[in-house]
Amino acid sequence: MGEASDAALLLTRLALGGVMIAHGWNHWRGGGGITGTAGWFGGLGLTRPRLQAWLSVLTELGAGALLLVGLLTAPACAAVLSVTLVAGLLAHRPHGFFVFKEGYEYVLVLGVLAVAMGAWGPGEYALDEALGIAVTGWAGAGAVLGLGVVSTAGLLAAFWRPRPSAPDQQTT
């Protein structure tokens, strides 16, 4: 790919990994900690909200750490995609597009970046390359998209129980 492209991929991986670690850390130690995060997940209609909080923390910290070193990049990107899909669908979609209105703009960018990173691969400065296990191109993007969507669907099927709408919000 070339030195400039590999440097750009390293920067992208570090940024995405760093963002995920920051999110995981915030869900664990920030604000209301696990209890606050669990309350937020419960408010979104997820059952077993404390479990969801811990799964979110472990997924975000783990995927972020893997991205930082460029190891198992496609599965790490699939984890990012799944986290952003859940957040986008449950928390941000009802508010529209723009992030300043609590919309899905931010998680959309992170999710698309995760799929793109699957296609690009981790770049030369990654453990995947050193170990000869990098998955790139359509196979990488497909792996990210497939694993991310299936994981999201499984989580929602197992744990999401939407709250009924208030009578004045129902349509006939």
Side-chain angles (χ1 to χ4, degrees), residues 15-146:
L16 187 56
V19 165
M20 295 314 295
I21 288 172
H23 275 277
W25 185 262
N26 187 56
H27 283 152
W28 182 23
R29 304 303 247 170
I34 287 292
T35 301
T37 300
W40 185 70
F41 281 130
L44 295 175
L46 289 168
T47 63
R48 314 263 331 255
R50 192 161 185 86
L51 173 65
Q52 297 305 318
W54 277 113
L55 289 174
S56 175
V57 165
L58 294 173
T59 300
E60 291 168 347
L61 291 176
L66 289 171
L67 285 169
L68 289 181
V69 298
L71 180 62
L72 302 174
T73 303
C77 286
V80 171
L81 178 60
S82 184
V83 166
T84 61
L85 281 172
V86 170
L89 291 169
L90 300 187
H92 300 290
R93 183 182 46 84
H95 304 287
F97 179 73
F98 294 105
V99 70
F100 63 87
K101 293 181 178 180
E102 300 297 324
Y104 59 87
E105 174 184 15
Y106 175 66
V107 294
L108 174 67
V109 170
L110 292 179
V112 169
L113 183 58
V115 176
M117 174 76 43
W120 296 327
E124 187 65 27
Y125 311 120
L127 288 177
D128 282 348
E129 281 295 328
L131 297 171
I133 60 171
V135 179
T136 62
W138 290 113
V144 172
L145 194 56

Side-chain angles (χ1 to χ4, degrees), residues 144-158:
V144 172
L145 194 56
L147 187 56
V149 168
V150 167
S151 298
T152 302
L155 180 131
L156 294 178

